[in-house]
Amino acid sequence: MRGVLRGALTVAVMLSAAVLAPRPALAQLSNAWNCTGKPGIAWRTQIGGCTDAIKSGKYAGKDLAAVLHNRGVAYRGVGNLDRAFKDYDEAIKLDPTNVTFLLHRGIAYGASGNADRALADFDQIIKLDPKQVDAWYSRGLTYSNKADWGRAIQNYDEAIKLDPNYIQAVSNRGNAYLAKRQFDRAAQDYDRAMQIDPNDPIPHNNRGNAYYQTDQVDRAIAEFDMAIKLEPNYADALNNRGAAYFSKGDLDRALEDFDRVLRFNPDDADAKSNRAMVLEKRAKASN
């Protein structure tokens, strides 16, 4: 019995989606309304500000579309996807070729589990502008979520051609190769991601998973150690290191890692499940 590994197919990396860059006049007005669509102002404050801007009647056409989009971003920020979709839809009706609006709606569809609608938006962006790197990456990510690894890799390839230092695309392409059990190709991408950003813990976690899946448990633990050193509360790496210790029969260290995850995230399902396996094995050994 082995613990549940996590993060080998990590797709919860941050999207580097382009943020809205309104025309200068609108930027000044949107700042005055606290309606920027960017982090830095509380999302609920932005919802109120954008709503006031819309009600003011001062905006029409593409300017109104920008305000609606920014409110959609804020609604997504507070987890209200239904309201976000309403605003994105209205913004896109007013400005149908705005790739930023399409990108953010596609990302929201992906977050809601509607992969087909997400792909439709990313497809449209790429038709409008084949050099939109975030659309290629986001489409690859969506195919990864559908376990369509071949198409995922093709899209990551295009993103990396456009931006060789796009670490999320490089790391997730490695994950896709790992899912296809092409371990050498996966390792190459993880190494490349580490070169792009030596302080990013995700490639270490993912390379640890690759070692674990090829029964190189000690090398896996060394990678998880490095990921945790870079980010001490990295739940995936802690869970994975615990699973690796469990596979070696080191129940004390395994339990320590699962407990550590549960201290800062008591609802972590994998840590709970893995911890239960440790306690069960311990109980059997003492009988």
Side-chain angles (χ1 to χ4, degrees):
M1 184 184 296
R2 302 181 92 181
V4 177
L5 268 185
R6 201 165 67 192
L9 306 178
T10 297
V11 292
V13 294
M14 292 298 292
L15 290 171
S16 62
V19 295
L20 179 66
R23 288 173 287 176
L26 179 61
Q28 292 173 11
L29 288 170
S30 62
N31 286 334
W33 292 103
N34 288 325
C35 176
T36 65
K38 300 176 184 178
I41 299 173
W43 293 126
R44 294 196 183 279
T45 300
Q46 293 204 44
I47 290 169
C50 294
T51 301
D52 289 342
I54 293 165
K55 289 179 178 178
S56 74
K58 295 181 178 179
Y59 299 93
K62 291 184 178 181
D63 287 345
L64 178 58
V67 176
L68 285 161
H69 164 268
N70 289 356
R71 189 173 68 173
V73 172
Y75 273 127
R76 186 182 170 219
V78 298
N80 191 337
L81 286 176
D82 288 339
R83 293 296 298 271
F85 285 129
K86 279 186 176 182
D87 281 344
Y88 289 147
D89 290 347
E90 289 299 317
I92 290 166
K93 282 180 187 176
L94 292 167
D95 192 358
T97 61
N98 189 305
V99 294
T100 299
F101 299 173
L102 290 164
L103 180 67
H104 286 178
R105 187 175 70 176
I107 292 169
Y109 276 132
S112 71
N114 195 333
D116 291 338
R117 295 291 294 272
L119 289 171
D121 278 342
F122 302 143
D123 290 347
Q124 179 65 11
I125 294 168
I126 291 166
K127 285 179 185 175
L128 290 167
D129 184 358
K131 292 186 178 180
Q132 281 290 326
V133 62
D134 288 312
W136 287 106
Y137 168 69
S138 298
R139 193 164 72 172
L141 197 62
T142 306
Y143 280 126
S144 286
N145 283 326
K146 289 167 67 73
D148 188 340
W149 307 116
R151 286 186 180 180
I153 289 168
Q154 289 171 5
N155 280 271
Y156 295 139
D157 284 346
E158 293 299 325
I160 294 164
K161 283 179 189 175
L162 291 166
D163 182 357
N165 291 324
Y166 200 150
I167 189 169
Q168 296 96 330
V170 173
S171 190
N172 275 300
R173 187 176 66 179
N175 293 339
Y177 280 127
L178 183 60
K180 289 167 66 70
R181 302 192 69 77
Q182 295 183 23
F183 297 112
D184 289 343
R185 298 291 293 274
Q188 288 173 12
D189 275 340
Y190 298 147
D191 289 345
R192 182 171 174 179
M194 291 173 196
Q195 290 170 2
I196 294 169
D197 184 358
N199 295 316
D200 188 340
I202 291 175
H204 288 283
N205 178 63
N206 290 344
R207 190 162 69 176
N209 279 316
Y211 284 139
Y212 186 86
Q213 290 190 36
T214 54
D215 294 319
Q216 300 178 72
V217 178
D218 289 335
R219 295 184 76 178
I221 289 171
E223 290 296 336
F224 298 141
D225 285 345
M226 180 57 68
I228 294 161
K229 181 179 179 181
L230 291 168
E231 187 177 324
N233 289 337
Y234 188 3
D236 285 353
L238 284 163
N239 187 80
N240 292 345
R241 188 174 68 179
Y245 279 132
F246 180 78
S247 72
K248 287 169 61 74
D250 192 338
L251 302 186
D252 290 340
R253 285 188 174 181
L255 190 63
E256 182 180 332
D257 278 340
F258 301 141
D259 283 344
R260 186 167 160 184
V261 174
L262 293 170
R263 277 197 294 274
F264 61 81
N265 185 5
D267 297 322
D268 191 296
D270 290 335
K272 281 183 177 179
S273 175
N274 286 343
R275 186 178 189 277
M277 282 197 294
V278 172
L279 295 176
E280 181 183 357
K281 189 166 184 178
R282 220 185 225 180
K284 286 179 180 178
S286 63
N287 288 337

